[in-house]
């Protein structure tokens, strides 16, 4: 794979190519979009959005690939995934560099977090394929067969914040399930997606199984509304997810929604306070706060509240905000001007909302002359009716709210429209278990225990209804058919 650290306009423009029916295409693109470097705020190239013709050709190619791909056994698909894992491992440094230059993620985090998460998820699909049956028997009767089948042509629409990981979560699941696909990555993360497509192009797959179209929301909508698309797997904001789910419902197409979050981190007084605050602050500010599952609302038992505030402020002030490629940078720039304005307006509104600003603020860090940089910001005494508490800010902003009882903690944790993740810190394992069951969230992590590889990733309520990773991700790209009357 060529090195894809795109520094010049020519280099960057090259990556905006579409991959359709086994060939790279530019001629059906229209509508230019200017790309801006998040670190320098300088233009870095122009992207051309795919038009109706090209999207139609991509869907047609995927439709034609349906039967040839159906001839691939689970073992064949597993070998394809294994090959892709190998290619990714061989190119992992290139991907870290592209991600860092494209979205501003600190290079060390791009290497250890962004790229590794994607590879782990791909492995989870490969491993699940060898463990799960494609057919079952109902009531142990061989003449009552339950068969899992690929759902058909899948449209995959992804965001920019974990650009390789989000693409892999969908492409890996679709390949594992046997679905041909059209990927439409975020317009802010096309270099990563194009580099990934170059690897997929090297796999032993029928022409048209994998297609890539480049563009913005309007290009995405063309896919969503295409009558030959059987399923839309979407990751992005709740606002866009609502729109796409409605459009899909109009023609009864399947949709899987992985949407926004505002996850609570519950600190009970008996927890290891220092570790809980250190890990909680780091989790909230990771990827400059631009993670769907960021632990962005810290709920703290009143007995330890003041101590937690002091520790959280020290942790925030010690964070190294800097350029993506500088060693030691922990928080890079936000991805674009829109995000930058949004996050700063949340902070400005927060300052006059009754909450207490303890660290950071909307002024840019004094040592950085340009770029979409926001200081790590901490607000205390944030009430549930405050926008800071309710809104997905998607920047390095931590809110802290006190509670007095376990019931109140659970009530506060559940008091937003979202339900993606939740985090519990306590030494009392009975309480941890009890509270975990009562939290309205798709994923609960106790005392910093990460989800196992292949465990389902997804949320409830306005965080969506999709599940990705492992068998859970594969099944969302499959239909279930019941065949009765034949069999040994
Ligand atoms: P977004 O909703 O603006 O865009 C996501 C994708 O949808 C992009 O590819 C965009 O071009 C496309 N799109 C926009 N409008 C469309 C339309 N009308 N029809 C079809 N496609 C359209 O989100 P974003 O800013 O790229 O990503 C940030 C959001 O993603 C956050 O809310 C974050 O929480 C969420 N997210 C969720 C998960 C999860 O697993 N739950 C993971 C990562 C990010």
């Amino acid at each position: 794979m060529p090195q894809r650290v795109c520094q010049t306009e020519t280099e960057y423009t090259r990556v905006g190519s579409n991959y359709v029916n086994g060939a790279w295409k530019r001629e059906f693109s229209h509508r230019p979009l200017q790309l801006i470097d998040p670190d320098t705020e300088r233009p870095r190239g122009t992207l051309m959005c795919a038009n109706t013709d090209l999207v139609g050709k991509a869907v047609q190619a995927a439709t034609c690939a349906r039967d040839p791909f159906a001839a691939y056994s689970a073992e064949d698909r597993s070998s394809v995934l294994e090959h892709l894992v190998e290619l990714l491992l061989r190119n992992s440094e290139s991907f870290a560099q592209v991600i860092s230059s494209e979205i501003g993620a600190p290079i060390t985090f791009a290497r250890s977090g962004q790229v590794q998460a994607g590879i782990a998820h791909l492995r989870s699909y490969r491993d699940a394929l060898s463990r799960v049956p494609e057919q079952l028997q109902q009531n142990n009767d061989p003449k009552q067969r339950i068969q899992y089948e690929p759902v058909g042509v899948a449209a995959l629409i992804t965001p920019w914040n974990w650009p390789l990981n989000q693409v892999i979560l969908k492409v890996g699941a679709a390949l594992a399930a046997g679905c041909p696909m059209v990927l439409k990555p975020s317009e802010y993360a096309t270099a990563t997606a194009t580099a990934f497509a170059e690897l997929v192009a090297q796999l032993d797959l029928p022409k048209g199984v994998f297609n890539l179209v480049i563009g913005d929301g309007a290009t995405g909508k063309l896919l969503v509304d295409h009558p030959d698309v059987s399923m839309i797997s979407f990751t992005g904001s709740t606002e866009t997810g609502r729109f796409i789910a409605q459009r899909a419902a109009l023609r009864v197409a399947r949709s899987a929604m992985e949407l926004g979050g505002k996850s609570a981190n519950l600190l009970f007084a008996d927890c290891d306070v220092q570790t809980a605050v250190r890990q909680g602050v780091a989790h909230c500010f990771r990827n400059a706060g631009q993670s769907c599952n960021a632990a962005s609302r810290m709920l703290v038992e009143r007995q330890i509240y003041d101590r937690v505030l002091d520790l959280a402020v020290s942790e925030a002030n010690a964070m190294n905000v800097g350029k993506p490629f500088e060693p030691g940078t922990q928080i890079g720039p936000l991805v674009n001007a829109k995000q930058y304005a949004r996050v700063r307006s949340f902070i400005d509104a927060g300052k006059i909302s009754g909450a207490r600003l303890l660290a950071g603020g909307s002024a840019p860090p004094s040592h950085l002359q340009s770029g979409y940089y926001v200081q790590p910001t901490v607000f205390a005494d944030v009430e549930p009716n405050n926008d800071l508490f309710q809104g997905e800010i998607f920047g390095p902003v931590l809110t802290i709210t006190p509670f007095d009882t376990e019931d109140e903690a659970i009530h506060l944790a559940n008091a937003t429209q979202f339900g993606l993740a939740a985090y519990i810190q306590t030494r009392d394992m009975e309480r941890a278990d009890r509270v975990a069951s009562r939290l309205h969230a798709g994923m609960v992590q106790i005392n910093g225990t990460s989800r196992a590889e292949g465990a389902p990733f997804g949320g409830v309520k306005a965080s969506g209804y999709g599940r990705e990773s492992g068998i859970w991700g594969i099944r969302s790209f499959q239909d279930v058919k019941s065949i009765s009357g034949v069999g040994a």
Side-chain angles (χ1 to χ4, degrees), residues 157-162 166 169 184-188 215-224 234-241 243-244 247 257-261 290-293 335-336 338-339 392 394 418 420 443 457-459 463-464 468:
I157 302 179
T158 54
W160 47 265
N161 62 327
W162 285 70
Q166 302 305 336
L169 275 165
K184 206 298 285 172
S186 167
E187 56 273 36
Y188 298 106
D216 57 7
T219 304
K221 184 173 176 296
L222 292 172
L223 268 178
V224 169
F234 173 75
T235 300
S237 63
T238 295
E239 190 188 359
T240 309
F243 172 81
I244 293 177
R247 301 295 301 186
M257 293 286 144
E258 304 279 350
L259 310 178
Q290 303 167 119
S291 293
C292 53
N293 61 349
V335 71
N336 57 33
K338 188 174 147 209
Q339 265 307 109
E392 185 184 40
F394 229 51
F418 299 107
L420 189 57
M443 302 170 282
F457 191 104
S463 293
E468 295 190 310

Side-chain angles (χ1 to χ4, degrees), residues 239-478:
E239 190 188 359
T240 309
R242 278 200 181 99
F243 172 81
I244 293 177
Q246 284 176 36
R247 301 295 301 186
L250 286 177
R251 53 186 189 83
V252 201
R254 187 190 295 195
S255 64
M257 293 286 144
E258 304 279 350
L259 310 178
K262 184 74 180 183
S263 301
N265 186 7
L266 287 67
L267 273 61
F268 289 94
D270 66 347
C271 73
D272 174 345
V273 177
Q274 203 150 0
T275 305
V277 176
R278 183 171 38 79
Q279 290 179 348
V281 169
H283 197 285
C284 176
F285 294 154
R286 189 178 59 153
N287 210 28
Q290 303 167 119
S291 293
C292 53
N293 61 349
S296 52
R297 284 185 300 139
M298 198 177 266
L299 309 177
V300 180
E301 195 160 4
R302 198 165 313 264
Q303 286 146 268
I304 55 167
Y305 190 63
D306 289 340
R307 187 167 163 224
V308 165
L309 296 187
D310 287 346
L311 286 168
V313 169
S314 320
E315 290 291 334
N317 288 339
M319 287 266 162
N320 191 355
V321 184
K323 292 186 169 287
F325 285 95
E326 268 169 20
T329 291
Q330 292 167 295
I331 300 182
L334 300 183
V335 71
N336 57 33
K338 188 174 147 209
Q339 265 307 109
Y340 187 52
R342 175 186 161 85
V343 172
R344 294 172 80 201
S345 80
F346 261 106
I347 296 173
D348 285 336
K351 284 196 285 198
I352 52 169
S353 69
R356 259 193 302 152
L357 178 67
L358 298 185
S362 59
S366 53
H367 62 292
L368 292 160
Q369 311 319 318
S370 65
Y372 305 130
Y373 291 94
V374 172
Q375 302 178 60
T377 296
V378 178
F379 281 100
D381 308 343
V382 181
E383 299 281 343
N385 61 358
N386 193 318
D387 282 351
L388 289 172
F389 190 98
Q390 294 294 335
E392 185 184 40
I393 301 172
F394 229 51
V397 180
L398 175 70
T399 71
I400 311 187
T401 305
F403 67 81
D404 289 300
T405 65
E406 185 178 304
D407 275 349
E408 190 191 356
I410 293 165
H411 173 77
L412 286 169
N414 291 338
T416 75
Q417 65 166 329
F418 299 107
L420 189 57
Y423 307 86
I424 301 172
Q425 321 300 331
T426 177
R427 287 194 169 92
D428 179 344
M429 286 302 115
E430 279 179 23
R431 169 162 53 199
D433 216 357
R434 197 167 57 229
V435 173
S437 301
R438 292 179 61 197
L439 292 175
H440 303 159
M443 302 170 282
V444 180
Q445 295 182 8
I446 295 157
N447 295 331
T449 312
S450 302
R451 284 174 323 108
E453 207 166 290
F457 191 104
V460 298
K461 304 199 294 184
S463 293
Y465 44 79
R467 289 294 179 273
E468 295 190 310
S469 196
I471 183 59
W472 316 93
I474 299 174
R475 289 291 189 238
S476 81
F477 283 85
Q478 288 176 325

Side-chain angles (χ1 to χ4, degrees), residues 3-20:
Q3 184 78 358
R4 285 224 174 267
V5 184
C6 309
Q7 306 290 7
T8 68
E9 174 151 344
T10 329
E11 280 177 321
Y12 207 86
T13 305
R14 185 154 45 89
V15 304
S17 296
N18 305 274
Y19 185 71
V20 173

